[in-house]
Amino acid sequence: MKNIGIIIVLLVVFSACKKEEKIAYKSFGKKIEASNFISKEEMKKKFESMEVGDTIDVKFASNINSVCKAKGCWMKLDLGDEKESMVKFKDYGFFVPLNSDKMDVIVNGKAYVTEISVEELQHYAKDAGKSEEEIAEITEPKYTYAFLADGVLLNDENAKNE
């Protein structure tokens, strides 16, 4: 009887000590922590207050709308309200997996507003697998919310460097 009481006490103690489950992230580039970041909505507000030439250091969380299908050398992150940020990687020093579309990420780096040329827009469209017709429809430069990431955390336990 005494042993049963000890077993019950041990079971209660072990169940109370159950570990909190953490999100698993795959790291790319500079090692960053999954803390002290802002939401995509907060980032959108920051972008909206910026002008071409402005730059800020920031870390924010979002989800990936699309990734370069040639190398994983850029990605577009959702900012809400059909806005997105074009993310490139510092010194072309790392890439993300080609199958990262729709995954959650935390990016750290420099946010800025820039004008993208027609040629560069067409290049990105080609990398994204757009048709020749869709690429030919790109005829004007556009202002974009840009981001140069030095570190990325990808929320996917199955992510692999490709």
Side-chain angles (χ1 to χ4, degrees), residues 16-48:
C17 293
K18 185 179 175 184
K19 289 184 179 179
E20 182 179 310
E21 194 171 317
K22 291 187 176 183
I23 296 174
Y25 288 99
K26 179 75 175 172
S27 181
F28 299 87
K30 177 178 125 182
K31 299 294 182 204
I32 62 172
E33 298 293 322
S35 60
N36 301 322
F37 56 87
I38 63 173
S39 70
K40 65 184 182 182
E41 293 83 7
E42 291 171 293
M43 189 66 235
K44 182 172 128 327
K45 288 178 185 175
K46 288 188 181 291
F47 273 126
E48 290 171 343

mmCIF file of all heavy atoms in Angstrom, residues 16-48:
data_model
loop_
_atom_site.group_PDB
_atom_site.id
_atom_site.type_symbol
_atom_site.label_atom_id
_atom_site.label_comp_id
_atom_site.label_asym_id
_atom_site.label_seq_id
_atom_site.Cartn_x
_atom_site.Cartn_y
_atom_site.Cartn_z
ATOM 1 N N ALA A 16 3.218 17.227 -13.336
ATOM 2 C CA ALA A 16 3.297 18.667 -13.063
ATOM 3 C C ALA A 16 4.547 19.274 -13.684
ATOM 4 O O ALA A 16 4.594 20.465 -13.959
ATOM 5 C CB ALA A 16 3.284 18.916 -11.556
ATOM 6 N N CYS A 17 5.568 18.473 -13.897
ATOM 7 C CA CYS A 17 6.830 18.954 -14.461
ATOM 8 C C CYS A 17 6.868 18.844 -15.986
ATOM 9 O O CYS A 17 7.920 18.975 -16.592
ATOM 10 C CB CYS A 17 7.997 18.160 -13.883
ATOM 11 S SG CYS A 17 8.247 18.447 -12.132
ATOM 12 N N LYS A 18 5.742 18.578 -16.590
ATOM 13 C CA LYS A 18 5.679 18.433 -18.039
ATOM 14 C C LYS A 18 6.249 19.683 -18.714
ATOM 15 O O LYS A 18 5.895 20.803 -18.371
ATOM 16 C CB LYS A 18 4.230 18.228 -18.485
ATOM 17 C CG LYS A 18 4.084 17.946 -19.949
ATOM 18 C CD LYS A 18 2.615 17.724 -20.286
ATOM 19 C CE LYS A 18 2.442 17.555 -21.761
ATOM 20 N NZ LYS A 18 1.048 17.428 -22.123
ATOM 21 N N LYS A 19 7.130 19.482 -19.651
ATOM 22 C CA LYS A 19 7.784 20.602 -20.330
ATOM 23 C C LYS A 19 6.820 21.303 -21.283
ATOM 24 O O LYS A 19 5.990 20.667 -21.912
ATOM 25 C CB LYS A 19 8.988 20.117 -21.144
ATOM 26 C CG LYS A 19 10.147 19.684 -20.296
ATOM 27 C CD LYS A 19 11.307 19.320 -21.179
ATOM 28 C CE LYS A 19 12.503 18.908 -20.359
ATOM 29 N NZ LYS A 19 13.624 18.530 -21.198
ATOM 30 N N GLU A 20 6.989 22.625 -21.360
ATOM 31 C CA GLU A 20 6.214 23.405 -22.327
ATOM 32 C C GLU A 20 6.789 23.133 -23.713
ATOM 33 O O GLU A 20 7.998 23.158 -23.916
ATOM 34 C CB GLU A 20 6.353 24.891 -21.997
ATOM 35 C CG GLU A 20 5.545 25.764 -22.903
ATOM 36 C CD GLU A 20 5.690 27.232 -22.533
ATOM 37 O OE1 GLU A 20 5.525 27.568 -21.347
ATOM 38 O OE2 GLU A 20 5.996 28.019 -23.438
ATOM 39 N N GLU A 21 5.931 22.842 -24.665
ATOM 40 C CA GLU A 21 6.372 22.543 -26.014
ATOM 41 C C GLU A 21 6.808 23.830 -26.728
ATOM 42 O O GLU A 21 6.104 24.826 -26.726
ATOM 43 C CB GLU A 21 5.229 21.885 -26.802
ATOM 44 C CG GLU A 21 5.701 21.256 -28.086
ATOM 45 C CD GLU A 21 4.597 20.439 -28.729
ATOM 46 O OE1 GLU A 21 3.903 19.717 -28.009
ATOM 47 O OE2 GLU A 21 4.447 20.554 -29.942
ATOM 48 N N LYS A 22 8.002 23.806 -27.304
ATOM 49 C CA LYS A 22 8.526 24.977 -28.003
ATOM 50 C C LYS A 22 8.427 24.773 -29.506
ATOM 51 O O LYS A 22 8.454 23.653 -29.991
ATOM 52 C CB LYS A 22 9.984 25.212 -27.619
ATOM 53 C CG LYS A 22 10.158 25.652 -26.190
ATOM 54 C CD LYS A 22 11.589 26.022 -25.914
ATOM 55 C CE LYS A 22 11.737 26.553 -24.513
ATOM 56 N NZ LYS A 22 13.097 26.978 -24.230
ATOM 57 N N ILE A 23 8.356 25.888 -30.214
ATOM 58 C CA ILE A 23 8.328 25.835 -31.672
ATOM 59 C C ILE A 23 9.733 25.537 -32.164
ATOM 60 O O ILE A 23 10.697 26.137 -31.694
ATOM 61 C CB ILE A 23 7.826 27.165 -32.257
ATOM 62 C CG1 ILE A 23 6.382 27.419 -31.830
ATOM 63 C CG2 ILE A 23 7.947 27.176 -33.770
ATOM 64 C CD1 ILE A 23 5.848 28.775 -32.229
ATOM 65 N N ALA A 24 9.842 24.619 -33.108
ATOM 66 C CA ALA A 24 11.141 24.283 -33.682
ATOM 67 C C ALA A 24 11.394 25.168 -34.897
ATOM 68 O O ALA A 24 10.550 25.264 -35.783
ATOM 69 C CB ALA A 24 11.162 22.817 -34.092
ATOM 70 N N TYR A 25 12.543 25.829 -34.904
ATOM 71 C CA TYR A 25 12.923 26.686 -36.019
ATOM 72 C C TYR A 25 14.198 26.172 -36.655
ATOM 73 O O TYR A 25 15.096 25.679 -35.967
ATOM 74 C CB TYR A 25 13.188 28.127 -35.548
ATOM 75 C CG TYR A 25 11.959 28.894 -35.148
ATOM 76 C CD1 TYR A 25 11.604 29.020 -33.818
ATOM 77 C CD2 TYR A 25 11.175 29.520 -36.104
ATOM 78 C CE1 TYR A 25 10.490 29.747 -33.440
ATOM 79 C CE2 TYR A 25 10.050 30.246 -35.738
ATOM 80 C CZ TYR A 25 9.721 30.353 -34.410
ATOM 81 O OH TYR A 25 8.608 31.071 -34.049
ATOM 82 N N LYS A 26 14.277 26.305 -37.966
ATOM 83 C CA LYS A 26 15.501 26.041 -38.708
ATOM 84 C C LYS A 26 16.144 27.404 -38.941
ATOM 85 O O LYS A 26 15.481 28.340 -39.380
ATOM 86 C CB LYS A 26 15.169 25.345 -40.035
ATOM 87 C CG LYS A 26 16.362 25.046 -40.907
ATOM 88 C CD LYS A 26 17.146 23.880 -40.386
ATOM 89 C CE LYS A 26 18.259 23.558 -41.370
ATOM 90 N NZ LYS A 26 19.166 22.589 -40.887
ATOM 91 N N SER A 27 17.418 27.542 -38.633
ATOM 92 C CA SER A 27 18.106 28.823 -38.714
ATOM 93 C C SER A 27 18.911 28.936 -40.005
ATOM 94 O O SER A 27 19.566 27.977 -40.427
ATOM 95 C CB SER A 27 19.042 28.969 -37.507
ATOM 96 O OG SER A 27 19.709 30.194 -37.550
ATOM 97 N N PHE A 28 18.859 30.131 -40.604
ATOM 98 C CA PHE A 28 19.623 30.435 -41.813
ATOM 99 C C PHE A 28 20.329 31.766 -41.597
ATOM 100 O O PHE A 28 19.746 32.696 -41.038
ATOM 101 C CB PHE A 28 18.703 30.526 -43.034
ATOM 102 C CG PHE A 28 17.960 29.248 -43.318
ATOM 103 C CD1 PHE A 28 16.746 28.995 -42.704
ATOM 104 C CD2 PHE A 28 18.486 28.288 -44.167
ATOM 105 C CE1 PHE A 28 16.061 27.817 -42.941
ATOM 106 C CE2 PHE A 28 17.816 27.096 -44.400
ATOM 107 C CZ PHE A 28 16.596 26.860 -43.789
ATOM 108 N N GLY A 29 21.587 31.863 -42.039
ATOM 109 C CA GLY A 29 22.336 33.100 -41.857
ATOM 110 C C GLY A 29 22.777 33.245 -40.418
ATOM 111 O O GLY A 29 23.046 32.270 -39.723
ATOM 112 N N LYS A 30 22.836 34.504 -39.966
ATOM 113 C CA LYS A 30 23.240 34.813 -38.588
ATOM 114 C C LYS A 30 22.254 34.192 -37.609
ATOM 115 O O LYS A 30 21.051 34.201 -37.827
ATOM 116 C CB LYS A 30 23.259 36.338 -38.435
ATOM 117 C CG LYS A 30 23.587 36.840 -37.054
ATOM 118 C CD LYS A 30 23.620 38.360 -37.056
ATOM 119 C CE LYS A 30 22.677 38.900 -36.017
ATOM 120 N NZ LYS A 30 22.637 40.364 -35.995
ATOM 121 N N LYS A 31 22.766 33.647 -36.522
ATOM 122 C CA LYS A 31 21.911 33.044 -35.489
ATOM 123 C C LYS A 31 21.128 34.153 -34.789
ATOM 124 O O LYS A 31 21.709 35.105 -34.289
ATOM 125 C CB LYS A 31 22.740 32.281 -34.463
ATOM 126 C CG LYS A 31 23.531 31.133 -35.056
ATOM 127 C CD LYS A 31 22.642 30.047 -35.579
ATOM 128 C CE LYS A 31 23.479 28.903 -36.124
ATOM 129 N NZ LYS A 31 22.776 28.114 -37.094
ATOM 130 N N ILE A 32 19.807 34.008 -34.780
ATOM 131 C CA ILE A 32 18.937 34.970 -34.096
ATOM 132 C C ILE A 32 18.010 34.214 -33.162
ATOM 133 O O ILE A 32 17.801 33.007 -33.317
ATOM 134 C CB ILE A 32 18.135 35.845 -35.098
ATOM 135 C CG1 ILE A 32 17.195 34.991 -35.963
ATOM 136 C CG2 ILE A 32 19.067 36.674 -35.959
ATOM 137 C CD1 ILE A 32 16.244 35.801 -36.843
ATOM 138 N N GLU A 33 17.460 34.919 -32.207
ATOM 139 C CA GLU A 33 16.541 34.332 -31.242
ATOM 140 C C GLU A 33 15.095 34.580 -31.666
ATOM 141 O O GLU A 33 14.792 35.596 -32.294
ATOM 142 C CB GLU A 33 16.765 34.945 -29.861
ATOM 143 C CG GLU A 33 18.154 34.704 -29.291
ATOM 144 C CD GLU A 33 18.415 33.242 -28.974
ATOM 145 O OE1 GLU A 33 17.483 32.557 -28.497
ATOM 146 O OE2 GLU A 33 19.543 32.781 -29.215
ATOM 147 N N ALA A 34 14.214 33.686 -31.275
ATOM 148 C CA ALA A 34 12.783 33.827 -31.570
ATOM 149 C C ALA A 34 12.119 34.649 -30.465
ATOM 150 O O ALA A 34 11.170 34.218 -29.822
ATOM 151 C CB ALA A 34 12.135 32.456 -31.704
ATOM 152 N N SER A 35 12.658 35.852 -30.255
ATOM 153 C CA SER A 35 12.111 36.743 -29.226
ATOM 154 C C SER A 35 12.324 38.188 -29.678
ATOM 155 O O SER A 35 13.103 38.457 -30.592
ATOM 156 C CB SER A 35 12.820 36.504 -27.888
ATOM 157 O OG SER A 35 14.207 36.759 -28.008
ATOM 158 N N ASN A 36 11.603 39.099 -29.014
ATOM 159 C CA ASN A 36 11.747 40.542 -29.283
ATOM 160 C C ASN A 36 11.536 40.896 -30.747
ATOM 161 O O ASN A 36 12.299 41.665 -31.322
ATOM 162 C CB ASN A 36 13.104 41.055 -28.806
ATOM 163 C CG ASN A 36 13.302 40.841 -27.328
ATOM 164 O OD1 ASN A 36 12.372 40.984 -26.546
ATOM 165 N ND2 ASN A 36 14.504 40.466 -26.953
ATOM 166 N N PHE A 37 10.509 40.326 -31.364
ATOM 167 C CA PHE A 37 10.169 40.658 -32.745
ATOM 168 C C PHE A 37 8.798 41.305 -32.776
ATOM 169 O O PHE A 37 8.031 41.203 -31.829
ATOM 170 C CB PHE A 37 10.206 39.415 -33.649
ATOM 171 C CG PHE A 37 9.321 38.292 -33.183
ATOM 172 C CD1 PHE A 37 7.985 38.245 -33.559
ATOM 173 C CD2 PHE A 37 9.823 37.283 -32.375
ATOM 174 C CE1 PHE A 37 7.160 37.210 -33.128
ATOM 175 C CE2 PHE A 37 9.009 36.239 -31.940
ATOM 176 C CZ PHE A 37 7.674 36.210 -32.323
ATOM 177 N N ILE A 38 8.523 42.009 -33.879
ATOM 178 C CA ILE A 38 7.210 42.641 -34.042
ATOM 179 C C ILE A 38 6.383 41.833 -35.039
ATOM 180 O O ILE A 38 6.918 41.006 -35.782
ATOM 181 C CB ILE A 38 7.339 44.120 -34.486
ATOM 182 C CG1 ILE A 38 8.010 44.237 -35.862
ATOM 183 C CG2 ILE A 38 8.088 44.932 -33.430
ATOM 184 C CD1 ILE A 38 8.007 45.661 -36.418
ATOM 185 N N SER A 39 5.096 42.097 -35.063
ATOM 186 C CA SER A 39 4.182 41.389 -35.975
ATOM 187 C C SER A 39 4.287 41.959 -37.386
ATOM 188 O O SER A 39 4.811 43.057 -37.592
ATOM 189 C CB SER A 39 2.746 41.531 -35.478
ATOM 190 O OG SER A 39 2.312 42.872 -35.645
ATOM 191 N N LYS A 40 3.746 41.238 -38.333
ATOM 192 C CA LYS A 40 3.736 41.727 -39.718
ATOM 193 C C LYS A 40 2.896 42.991 -39.846
ATOM 194 O O LYS A 40 3.212 43.866 -40.659
ATOM 195 C CB LYS A 40 3.250 40.639 -40.684
ATOM 196 C CG LYS A 40 1.809 40.201 -40.494
ATOM 197 C CD LYS A 40 1.461 39.065 -41.429
ATOM 198 C CE LYS A 40 0.021 38.635 -41.293
ATOM 199 N NZ LYS A 40 -0.278 37.510 -42.180
ATOM 200 N N GLU A 41 1.838 43.107 -39.049
ATOM 201 C CA GLU A 41 1.004 44.309 -39.086
ATOM 202 C C GLU A 41 1.781 45.530 -38.587
ATOM 203 O O GLU A 41 1.676 46.617 -39.158
ATOM 204 C CB GLU A 41 -0.272 44.113 -38.255
ATOM 205 C CG GLU A 41 -1.228 43.071 -38.821
ATOM 206 C CD GLU A 41 -0.876 41.623 -38.439
ATOM 207 O OE1 GLU A 41 0.038 41.405 -37.610
ATOM 208 O OE2 GLU A 41 -1.510 40.710 -38.992
ATOM 209 N N GLU A 42 2.564 45.337 -37.523
ATOM 210 C CA GLU A 42 3.403 46.434 -37.022
ATOM 211 C C GLU A 42 4.471 46.808 -38.048
ATOM 212 O O GLU A 42 4.791 47.983 -38.226
ATOM 213 C CB GLU A 42 4.064 46.039 -35.701
ATOM 214 C CG GLU A 42 3.091 45.908 -34.538
ATOM 215 C CD GLU A 42 3.748 45.307 -33.307
ATOM 216 O OE1 GLU A 42 4.122 44.114 -33.346
ATOM 217 O OE2 GLU A 42 3.890 46.041 -32.318
ATOM 218 N N MET A 43 5.005 45.803 -38.736
ATOM 219 C CA MET A 43 6.021 46.074 -39.760
ATOM 220 C C MET A 43 5.419 46.852 -40.917
ATOM 221 O O MET A 43 6.049 47.761 -41.457
ATOM 222 C CB MET A 43 6.647 44.758 -40.245
ATOM 223 C CG MET A 43 7.854 44.954 -41.146
ATOM 224 S SD MET A 43 9.239 45.687 -40.266
ATOM 225 C CE MET A 43 9.547 47.108 -41.295
ATOM 226 N N LYS A 44 4.209 46.506 -41.308
ATOM 227 C CA LYS A 44 3.528 47.235 -42.392
ATOM 228 C C LYS A 44 3.397 48.711 -42.037
ATOM 229 O O LYS A 44 3.664 49.588 -42.863
ATOM 230 C CB LYS A 44 2.162 46.624 -42.685
ATOM 231 C CG LYS A 44 1.410 47.296 -43.834
ATOM 232 C CD LYS A 44 0.167 46.502 -44.161
ATOM 233 C CE LYS A 44 -1.112 47.176 -44.212
ATOM 234 N NZ LYS A 44 -1.581 48.239 -43.482
ATOM 235 N N LYS A 45 3.026 49.000 -40.797
ATOM 236 C CA LYS A 45 2.905 50.395 -40.356
ATOM 237 C C LYS A 45 4.246 51.117 -40.435
ATOM 238 O O LYS A 45 4.315 52.274 -40.849
ATOM 239 C CB LYS A 45 2.348 50.462 -38.928
ATOM 240 C CG LYS A 45 0.885 50.118 -38.836
ATOM 241 C CD LYS A 45 0.397 50.160 -37.404
ATOM 242 C CE LYS A 45 -1.047 49.705 -37.312
ATOM 243 N NZ LYS A 45 -1.525 49.621 -35.933
ATOM 244 N N LYS A 46 5.318 50.427 -40.062
ATOM 245 C CA LYS A 46 6.648 51.038 -40.153
ATOM 246 C C LYS A 46 6.994 51.349 -41.612
ATOM 247 O O LYS A 46 7.487 52.423 -41.927
ATOM 248 C CB LYS A 46 7.702 50.132 -39.523
ATOM 249 C CG LYS A 46 7.623 50.084 -38.011
ATOM 250 C CD LYS A 46 8.798 49.334 -37.432
ATOM 251 C CE LYS A 46 8.726 49.266 -35.925
ATOM 252 N NZ LYS A 46 8.928 50.530 -35.260
ATOM 253 N N PHE A 47 6.736 50.372 -42.511
ATOM 254 C CA PHE A 47 7.007 50.596 -43.935
ATOM 255 C C PHE A 47 6.209 51.789 -44.461
ATOM 256 O O PHE A 47 6.721 52.597 -45.229
ATOM 257 C CB PHE A 47 6.663 49.350 -44.766
ATOM 258 C CG PHE A 47 7.775 48.344 -44.876
ATOM 259 C CD1 PHE A 47 7.564 47.020 -44.522
ATOM 260 C CD2 PHE A 47 9.023 48.693 -45.375
ATOM 261 C CE1 PHE A 47 8.568 46.075 -44.645
ATOM 262 C CE2 PHE A 47 10.034 47.759 -45.501
ATOM 263 C CZ PHE A 47 9.809 46.446 -45.127
ATOM 264 N N GLU A 48 4.945 51.880 -44.068
ATOM 265 C CA GLU A 48 4.085 52.959 -44.563
ATOM 266 C C GLU A 48 4.580 54.343 -44.142
ATOM 267 O O GLU A 48 4.301 55.338 -44.819
ATOM 268 C CB GLU A 48 2.640 52.748 -44.085
ATOM 269 C CG GLU A 48 1.974 51.576 -44.760
ATOM 270 C CD GLU A 48 0.626 51.197 -44.159
ATOM 271 O OE1 GLU A 48 0.322 51.611 -43.013
ATOM 272 O OE2 GLU A 48 -0.119 50.460 -44.839
#
